[in-house]
Amino acid sequence: MKRLLFLAHRWLGISLCLLLLLWSFSGLMMIYAGPSGISPDVRLAHSQPLPVAEAGHWLSLSEAWQRSGLATTRQPATARLSMQAGEAVWLVTDTTGQRLRISAQDGQLRPLTPAQAVQIARDWWPASQQARLQAAFERDASTAMMNYDPYRPFYRVALDDAEQHEITISQHSGEVVKSTTRMQRILFWSGSYLHFLRPLDAIGLAEARKPILTWGALAALLSVCSGLWLGAGRWRPAWLGKRPYPNGSSNPYRALWQRWHLWLGLSAGLLAFTWCLSGFLSGNPWQLFGPQGSHGKAHQHGQPALDSVATALPMAQIAGQLQTKSPAPAVELNWVQLGGQQQLQAEDRQGRVWLLAASGSDRPPQQAGFSKDAVLAAVRSAQHATPIHAADLLQQDDDYYYSSPRISRAERPLPVWRIKLADPAASWLYVNPQTGTTVLQVKQGQRSLRWLFSALHNWDLPILRHRPLWDGWMLPGSLACVALSLTALVLGWRRLTHRKTGPRR
């Protein structure tokens, strides 16, 4: 039996050493690749101030929607007014989830032009002297994920600054969806592009990529488990009362690569085990975590339409409020809604929010946001009267809703309502009381996956959630796994070449 285990470990290692080395190395690159998209705080920091003197001449959301010709077939669910290439535009998401760009000056619905894309990129990084349109495209390796689908197609604009920024802009909405430096692009190609085996997409194996990732991780897990068992059996430390080998060492091997493979396997094997196990479970094999075994996402499609009377508020009135109520220059105006209540909120570059107008409430609010009663009533309505088990206003992170080196605070704002539903899936909703949006929704299976994937793969544990503690754990562990994979590659190569060229003894 031990001989069979040894042979299984040897040939699994030979078969998978390249894949394990690729995963270990690319995972190390991903630690410092930075975020893949534009978070709300980054978007606000790069937004242009709204010219209050001109705001009175713009069209309200309701007027712009009527002039666009969309009112007969669609309805807006959320809307944001911002400046793009010197023009005020309404960025609207309709009730089906489609994003639209409507001019606030004439109500025309039109896609972004290449010249406007170049100007948006210049406004995003004003220090750059020159910008040029690099490409117009539907999809590339860095925008292959489904969360970019509402923004397709794109423009890519290259800047001439020291960091060689490239800005990816949606032709649909004019929004910047990616801003990367040359170093971030290098880390992307050597990191997540390799880690998720994206080259398979380029050769027509996109459908096979997820099964290869899932079952490859299982095979790697078996290799690691067999190695841990064999390594623990061969290790003879004197302090555990074991008799050392004739060479006086607790390690039976004399050859350098074999000795280091055992030492690295004993020191990094458990970490490799957790990464292989969590990588395998992240593929939701056999639907262990339910038919939608995602890591917890909010789905905003199917929102009710904004009230056309409320959104017809004249921009001249809004401009007056911007002049008198604004503590700082506003960069965005947002129409938000919850359970029949609508609010027009202004926001500055630092993310500070203030209320400009409200409707649909018996008691007009004095500040931006929705009351507890409004939040709970909206949740009951959206969940078809599902009973609410508990509702708590969180002032700090919990085990499922938190910021980390991978998730910015703007993506997990506080305070937030955590609402536990008494439904069969034991769903938890995290609702932002300021905007009324459901930031996160997690079911029982997803909460289990949080511990089996995020905790074991990304190490999103409370004690490691912040840098540099997180780096102090991830960096040495990743380097040790890279070294372990490298020793496996060398030993595997030597085994194969020995069998081909050398006599068998």
Side-chain angles (χ1 to χ4, degrees):
M1 183 63 182
K2 188 173 182 180
R3 177 64 179 171
L4 289 176
L5 190 63
F6 181 81
L7 290 173
H9 178 68
R10 171 188 290 172
W11 292 108
L12 280 172
I14 290 174
S15 303
L16 298 169
C17 57
L18 274 174
L19 181 60
L20 288 169
L21 179 60
L22 180 145
W23 275 339
S24 301
F25 173 77
S26 59
L28 177 61
M29 297 297 102
M30 289 175 68
I31 294 176
Y32 298 104
S36 60
I38 301 297
S39 60
D41 55 331
V42 173
R43 184 192 73 233
L44 289 169
H46 289 271
S47 296
Q48 302 301 305
L50 297 173
V52 178
E54 302 175 16
H57 303 290
W58 297 336
L59 299 176
S60 68
L61 172 60
S62 184
E63 291 174 316
W65 192 256
Q66 289 291 333
R67 291 197 189 186
S68 70
L70 295 170
T72 57
T73 57
R74 303 182 187 183
Q75 293 178 302
T78 64
R80 183 173 83 239
L81 180 70
S82 62
M83 299 297 295
Q84 289 184 355
E87 179 184 13
V89 295
W90 284 105
L91 303 176
V92 182
T93 302
D94 67 16
T95 52
T96 67
Q98 185 172 351
R99 306 178 81 87
L100 304 161
R101 180 178 184 269
I102 304 173
S103 171
Q105 296 175 341
D106 57 18
Q108 294 300 303
L109 175 68
R110 49 178 175 257
L112 197 72
T113 67
Q116 288 174 319
V118 170
Q119 185 58 52
I120 288 172
R122 285 175 174 161
D123 291 340
W124 191 266
W125 290 109
S128 176
Q129 298 298 317
Q130 294 185 357
R132 61 181 178 84
L133 184 68
Q134 192 176 73
F137 62 98
E138 180 76 19
R139 180 188 303 263
D140 66 1
S142 66
T143 58
M145 290 71 76
M146 287 189 298
N147 58 310
Y148 288 105
D149 287 349
Y151 303 93
R152 305 185 195 281
F154 304 103
Y155 289 120
R156 186 188 302 116
V157 179
L159 303 178
D160 69 344
D161 58 344
E163 295 182 298
Q164 299 182 35
H165 279 95
E166 288 184 2
I167 313 297
T168 303
I169 304 167
S170 169
Q171 293 185 33
H172 252 319
S173 64
E175 296 169 276
V176 174
V177 297
K178 291 184 75 70
S179 174
T180 59
T181 64
R182 183 173 181 270
M183 179 55 67
Q184 286 175 320
R185 293 190 293 276
I186 291 173
L187 291 174
F188 164 76
W189 288 107
S190 60
S192 62
Y193 182 72
L194 294 178
H195 200 75
F196 297 109
L197 305 184
R198 291 288 179 185
L200 294 177
D201 296 355
I203 59 175
L205 295 176
E207 294 297 323
R209 186 168 57 83
K210 183 177 178 181
I212 291 173
L213 283 167
T214 301
W215 302 113
L218 178 60
L221 179 63
L222 296 176
S223 177
V224 171
C225 288
S226 60
L228 283 170
W229 181 268
L230 293 169
R234 295 206 164 197
W235 183 41
R236 296 183 182 178
W239 54 273
L240 285 180
K242 293 186 178 183
R243 186 177 63 183
Y245 289 96
N247 62 3
S249 173
S250 59
N251 190 324
Y253 301 107
R254 295 187 177 184
L256 176 66
W257 288 103
Q258 289 176 314
R259 286 181 65 84
W260 274 106
H261 187 69
L262 178 61
W263 291 132
L264 289 167
L266 291 171
S267 59
L270 284 176
L271 187 56
F273 169 82
T274 65
W275 276 334
C276 290
L277 174 63
S278 56
F280 169 62
L281 294 176
S282 71
N284 194 26
W286 311 295
Q287 294 191 343
L288 290 173
F289 305 101
Q292 297 178 349
S294 65
H295 299 185
K297 298 177 182 178
H299 303 280
Q300 299 297 339
H301 296 351
Q303 291 188 91
L306 286 165
D307 183 72
S308 58
V309 175
T311 56
L313 185 68
M315 287 301 298
Q317 182 177 340
I318 295 172
Q321 299 227 23
L322 283 173
Q323 289 179 329
T324 58
K325 288 188 176 181
S326 299
V331 295
E332 287 183 0
L333 302 184
N334 294 280
W335 274 111
V336 297
Q337 63 168 320
L338 183 69
Q341 298 183 31
Q342 291 83 31
Q343 292 187 7
L344 180 62
Q345 301 175 355
E347 197 162 5
D348 67 9
R349 281 182 169 174
Q350 284 72 45
R352 291 173 294 190
V353 178
W354 60 97
L355 182 66
L356 295 178
S359 67
S361 175
D362 295 335
R363 297 179 179 179
Q366 299 302 311
Q367 58 185 10
F370 300 94
S371 67
K372 176 181 179 180
D373 291 340
V375 170
L376 297 183
V379 169
R380 289 191 185 97
S381 176
Q383 300 296 325
H384 307 291
T386 299
I388 293 176
H389 177 68
D392 302 293
L393 184 64
L394 302 184
Q395 300 290 346
Q396 58 186 8
D397 296 340
D398 69 2
D399 289 331
Y400 306 98
Y401 182 94
Y402 53 86
S403 63
S404 70
R406 300 166 42 255
I407 306 172
S408 71
R409 173 52 64 197
E411 295 172 285
R412 294 291 186 267
L414 290 172
V416 66
W417 281 105
R418 182 183 62 196
I419 301 174
K420 300 180 180 180
L421 301 179
D423 62 345
S427 302
W428 292 9
L429 307 180
Y430 294 85
V431 181
N432 183 354
Q434 182 175 284
T435 63
T437 56
T438 301
V439 183
L440 186 69
Q441 177 176 348
V442 288
K443 301 178 181 179
Q444 179 60 55
Q446 294 163 342
R447 291 195 294 277
S448 300
L449 186 61
R450 178 262 182 271
W451 295 109
L452 293 171
F453 176 75
S454 296
L456 296 181
H457 208 82
N458 302 322
W459 292 93
D460 286 345
L461 297 172
I463 195 172
L464 296 176
R465 229 171 250 169
H466 304 288
R467 287 179 156 160
L469 289 176
W470 186 75
D471 300 82
W473 171 259
M474 294 292 285
L475 184 57
S478 297
L479 289 172
C481 285
V482 169
L484 175 61
S485 304
L486 184 60
T487 60
L489 178 64
V490 172
L491 292 174
W493 175 257
R494 289 185 172 183
R495 178 70 186 180
L496 292 176
T497 54
H498 172 74
R499 288 175 66 88
K500 288 181 179 180
T501 62
R504 182 166 182 170
R505 297 179 182 178

